[in-house]
Amino acid sequence: MTSGDNRPMATSSLPQVNISEHGKVRYLHLGTDWVQGSMDTSKPYAIHLDYVQRMQAWLLFVETQAVPELHAMQLGLGAAALTKNCRKVLGMRTTAIELNPQVVAACRTWFKLPEDDELLSVVLADAAEVVAHTYWRGHIDVLHVDLYDHEAAAPVLDDADFYAQCRQLLTAQGCMVVNLFGRTSRYDNSLAHIAQAFGLDALWTFKPTKEGNTVVLAQASAQRPEREVLQSRADDIQTRFALPAPLWLKVLKPVAV
């Protein structure tokens, strides 16, 4: 998924950010070949990677017309796919937390990340400190968690205390969405930690993608909508937001059945 067109952005004590391109797709790397995010340059506000599209599956559990009234937060900016999609396509108030200033600069230069405005705020901060602080508690409707280092071996923050703090950020009907990538044993441990914080009945999980990404949804208040409701919402999501939501229903199931 990389090409020979690799442009270093800057150097610091944090991982160096590099860009590669293959055809019309641009990739973000942190000094290795591991892909940290991507963008189809012909559709900069669409979501290119399947697993990142699945991280918008929380939409299945809200009324579509209410989406612009909600507040999304991303822990880890990546190539800003979720941040841009929430702000530009869904029209949501959006806050992104990113530790590495090079990543923010790369996203603004190479990945069409807009400047901050009344709806968008990109904050240079440590995600661990953000979730531990009281400032955002009870204010976040959608929390995207995708925190991996340059080796992409395991989530950087992944214990039960961290997920419990994430839950405290959510509104009563909020949802945390986590990308889990790695060995099966690591996934099982991560799922157990999330269940400890949210309860097993509040969890939904996708089948892994062919690349090995498993997306897990954890709801502040457990929901089990009827199949007909989910199908109707999926069709609406696809029409309004150009996301393949009907396909999600084939590979998304509650953990506790």
Side-chain angles (χ1 to χ4, degrees):
M1 298 177 70
T2 62
S3 77
D5 183 11
N6 234 17
R7 287 164 283 188
M9 302 302 302
T11 58
S12 75
S13 59
L14 293 168
Q16 180 174 320
V17 175
N18 302 85
I19 309 300
S20 70
E21 292 187 358
H22 183 75
K24 63 180 181 178
V25 179
R26 185 170 294 157
Y27 298 100
L28 177 75
H29 311 269
L30 296 179
T32 72
D33 286 343
W34 287 104
V35 170
Q36 301 287 338
S38 66
M39 178 185 74
D40 182 333
T41 55
S42 67
K43 297 180 290 185
Y45 301 118
I47 298 175
H48 174 244
L49 293 174
D50 288 344
Y51 92 83
V52 185
Q53 292 177 355
R54 292 179 180 187
M55 293 187 76
Q56 296 291 49
W58 60 271
L59 287 163
L60 292 166
F61 301 96
V62 301
E63 297 297 334
T64 308
Q65 62 269 23
V67 170
E69 303 170 8
L70 303 179
H71 185 179
M73 174 179 280
Q74 292 81 47
L75 300 182
L77 184 61
L82 287 166
T83 302
K84 292 184 300 180
N85 193 256
C86 287
R87 169 62 185 92
K88 300 294 286 187
V89 178
L90 305 187
M92 301 174 67
R93 182 183 176 193
T94 308
T95 303
I97 309 299
E98 174 55 48
L99 181 64
N100 191 339
Q102 297 178 59
V103 172
V104 178
C107 287
R108 291 249 153 89
T109 303
W110 299 106
F111 291 91
K112 301 290 186 180
L113 176 64
E115 295 296 325
D116 287 5
D117 58 21
E118 71 281 359
L119 290 181
L120 175 63
S121 180
V122 179
V123 180
L124 279 173
D126 187 326
E129 295 179 1
V130 169
V131 300
H133 202 279
T134 60
Y135 184 78
W136 296 110
R137 286 185 184 174
H139 293 286
I140 304 301
D141 298 291
V142 184
L143 182 66
H144 295 111
V145 183
D146 195 3
L147 295 168
Y148 286 83
D149 64 13
H150 59 291
E151 296 293 342
V156 174
L157 300 172
D158 189 44
D159 58 29
D161 287 342
F162 168 71
Y163 292 122
Q165 291 172 334
C166 286
R167 184 178 182 180
Q168 291 182 336
L169 297 185
L170 298 177
T171 59
Q173 300 302 316
C175 184
M176 178 183 74
V177 188
V178 184
N179 169 42
L180 298 178
F181 178 77
R183 300 184 305 275
T184 301
S185 60
R186 171 68 67 176
Y187 166 78
D188 290 341
N189 289 339
S190 298
L191 192 67
H193 293 159
I194 297 170
Q196 185 176 336
F198 284 81
L200 204 61
D201 289 344
L203 307 189
W204 293 68
T205 185
F206 278 91
K207 291 182 179 179
T209 65
K210 61 182 179 181
E211 295 82 13
N213 297 89
T214 302
V215 171
V216 176
L217 282 70
Q219 300 166 326
S221 301
Q223 296 187 49
R224 291 288 187 271
E226 296 291 333
R227 182 75 182 185
E228 294 76 10
V229 172
L230 290 174
Q231 187 64 61
S232 176
R233 288 178 180 169
D235 293 340
D236 199 21
I237 292 164
Q238 182 170 255
T239 299
R240 294 190 185 210
F241 304 132
L243 289 164
L247 296 179
W248 297 341
L249 298 182
K250 300 178 180 180
V251 288
L252 175 67
K253 293 183 178 180
V255 172
V257 179

